[in-house]
Amino acid sequence: MKREWDLLHTPGPTPIPPSVERAMNQPMIGHRGQKCKDLLKSIAPRLKPVFGTSGEVLVLTGSGTSALEAAVVNTTQPGDEVIVVVAGAFGERFAKICETYELHVHRIDVEWGRAVEVAQVEQTLKSSNQVKAVFLTHSETSTGVMHPIESIAERINELSDALVVVDGVSSVGGSLLDMDRFGIDLLVSGSQKAMMLPPGLAFVAMSERAWQTIQNNDRPRFYLDLRSYYDRLGEGQTPFTPALSLLFGLEEVLQLMEEEGVQQVSERHLLMQKMTRDACRALNLPLLVSEQEASTTVTSIRPQTFEAEQLRKLANEEFGLILAGGQKHMKGEIFRIGHMGYCRPANVFQYISVLEVLLKRLGHDFDAGAGSAAAQEAYLQGTREET
Ligand SMILES: *Cc1c(COP(=O)(O)O)cnc(C)c1O
């Protein structure tokens, strides 16, 4: 059974807007021809506001991790001291990549479900004056935490010359990171989260300072050498065959974001976060993450009265609602709802209603309709000025 009615609410991959699907269906083109040049030239400047930068945003073919790896290999040399904040599976991945490339890693381990404190980064930074880069995750998708990147970046820039490198795979397009203003040097992302595309594209936005470091770095690298992407960008070219169908889709994604407004896109995500969290509280569902530390794109729930996996199974079988489980040691402990990209307040009403039905089946104690009512209230509050 194809089950095209499935409601995909994993924190990536995420649903694709119909107009983006249609755009990806265009006839194939040659990647050295004029059409491809026009496409790349249309995309390049329009990606900048999404990343909050006036610098270049490079597009690679690969999953999000290829952008993380590109950030590491292009900015560092073996033996360099770096700091990595590890507060979940994706911070862990950044640390692993750094270790693989023989960096001297100062880990800041943070309890899963908590955000790092600026003081922790400050302390680690002060313990060495050789730190070349600090690797951070913006939205830690495995827990649903959003780290206070703006304050951390500000402090790092005050205290050192270390590059500020941010994994924005599950936040770019879902929460505005004003890269230039925040003092972020590299902001990397992928296509299948808030960018409303299938997996397969990776993005690397660079500050001028990062570009200088990358240019002067003679560490061997080939497919992920950002210099070759940067050099070709001006001519409307890529060094290797790009994922053309995804680029057709990306052009349409940018169109959609421009129509809505990049700021409004970010506000919509905040609204959906609020609706989801208020509903969970009204349903007596324990939230893993506190209000101040919560991600705008993914919400984690740690149930006490039923098994997270049981709920996920029922949601999938009965309604085609696809939720994510926990990763690593959080497996079976939590379930996660993705509310990013092609997701709107009406979709939140839908999954909250579905959850209520399932919670009844599971014998969970709550007032009937309380979740939906809370989501509606959050929606009305959040949109009051505009109505
Ligand atoms: C999904 C994700 C990644 C990795 O993406 P892949 O596309 O699976 O390589 C990295 N970081 C974060 C924060 C993510 O959410």
Side-chain angles (χ1 to χ4, degrees):
M1 196 165 45
K2 277 201 185 113
R3 294 208 342 187
E4 290 194 335
W5 61 82
D6 270 2
L7 308 168
L8 184 63
H9 281 284
T10 54
T14 62
I16 315 297
S19 68
V20 175
E21 282 183 345
R22 288 194 298 275
M24 290 190 298
N25 245 337
Q26 287 174 62
M28 197 39 61
I29 59 173
H31 74 293
R32 296 295 179 218
Q34 190 58 41
K35 280 186 180 159
C36 184
K37 283 191 183 126
D38 292 345
L39 180 62
L40 288 166
K41 285 193 170 171
S42 152
I43 288 169
R46 299 161 76 192
L47 274 173
K48 295 179 184 193
V50 180
F51 285 76
T53 184
S54 59
E56 298 300 345
V57 184
L58 308 175
V59 183
L60 281 56
T61 302
S63 85
T65 306
S66 71
L68 303 190
E69 184 159 345
V72 172
V73 72
N74 280 274
T75 56
T76 61
Q77 301 261 0
D80 276 357
E81 287 191 36
V82 298
I83 294 174
V84 185
V85 171
V86 181
F90 293 104
E92 191 67 60
R93 185 170 301 176
F94 236 162
K96 274 214 181 97
I97 296 170
C98 289
E99 281 159 13
T100 303
Y101 282 99
E102 301 178 322
L103 306 182
H104 178 146
V105 179
H106 300 275
R107 279 171 73 108
I108 301 178
D109 281 294
V110 180
E111 187 191 338
W112 285 41
R114 296 300 313 275
V116 71
E117 284 170 26
V118 182
Q120 291 174 275
V121 179
E122 186 174 324
Q123 203 179 17
T124 314
L125 203 54
K126 281 179 173 165
S127 69
S128 160
N129 55 4
Q130 301 288 330
V131 175
K132 294 279 169 52
V134 182
F135 293 89
L136 302 152
T137 315
H138 184 210
S139 169
E140 175 50 78
T141 322
S142 63
T143 60
V145 158
M146 210 162 231
H147 294 287
I149 295 297
E150 183 176 5
S151 343
I152 298 172
E154 190 183 4
R155 203 71 193 108
I156 296 169
N157 288 320
E158 279 167 7
L159 290 172
S160 76
D161 290 328
L163 292 177
V164 180
V165 185
V166 177
D167 170 353
V169 177
S170 71
S171 58
V172 172
S175 168
L176 194 55
L177 263 186
D178 222 330
M179 174 173 168
D180 291 355
R181 195 164 56 79
F182 292 3
I184 297 168
D185 293 293
L186 276 117
L187 177 56
V188 304
S189 198
S191 50
Q192 81 275 25
K193 309 270 169 97
M195 293 297 286
M196 304 188 278
L197 287 163
L201 292 183
F203 305 97
V204 182
M206 305 180 293
S207 70
E208 184 52 35
R209 197 163 73 112
W211 172 232
Q212 292 305 328
T213 305
I214 291 166
Q215 254 185 320
N216 298 328
N217 186 357
D218 58 8
R219 185 210 276 272
R221 54 209 195 263
F222 189 77
Y223 188 73
L224 296 178
D225 189 346
L226 296 177
R227 292 172 298 188
S228 51
Y229 292 84
Y230 188 94
D231 291 344
R232 298 294 188 91
L233 196 64
E235 317 152 26
Q237 293 267 312
T238 51
F240 315 108
T241 316
L244 287 155
S245 302
L246 294 177
L247 294 181
F248 294 148
L250 176 57
E251 192 181 34
E252 176 60 20
V253 162
L254 294 169
Q255 179 69 31
L256 293 176
M257 286 183 173
E258 285 160 8
E259 279 167 17
E260 186 174 357
V262 175
Q263 185 65 42
Q264 283 73 15
V265 170
S266 175
E267 282 161 17
R268 168 167 51 85
H269 283 84
L270 192 60
L271 178 62
M272 295 191 295
Q273 178 227 55
K274 181 98 179 43
M275 291 168 68
T276 304
R277 289 178 60 88
D278 283 5
C280 287
R281 272 187 290 260
L283 292 172
N284 304 324
L285 288 175
L287 294 161
L288 177 69
V289 180
S290 75
E291 201 65 16
Q292 302 76 20
E293 300 182 339
S295 169
T296 58
T297 58
V298 52
T299 297
S300 295
I301 292 129
R302 184 181 229 162
Q304 303 296 323
T305 62
F306 57 89
E307 295 294 329
E309 289 306 299
Q310 177 67 9
L311 174 93
R312 289 212 307 130
K313 186 163 174 280
L314 284 180
N316 183 338
E317 285 173 359
E318 193 163 347
F319 292 97
L321 171 64
I322 317 291
L323 303 170
Q327 290 175 270
K328 308 253 175 95
H329 69 270
M330 289 254 161
K331 204 173 170 62
E333 291 283 306
I334 60 171
F335 68 92
R336 296 174 296 148
I337 308 172
H339 34 80
M340 68 178 106
Y342 186 52
C343 181
R344 311 199 61 87
N347 302 106
V348 179
F349 292 137
Q350 188 181 40
Y351 64 67
I352 294 300
S353 256
V354 167
L355 275 180
E356 290 190 350
V357 174
L358 298 172
L359 292 175
K360 281 281 176 221
R361 286 222 197 286
L362 290 165
H364 180 72
D365 183 33
F366 68 98
D367 294 334
S372 295
Q376 289 168 25
E377 187 53 34
Y379 177 79
L380 290 168
Q381 290 272 336
T383 52
R384 204 165 36 189
E385 307 91 287
E386 290 147 50
T387 50

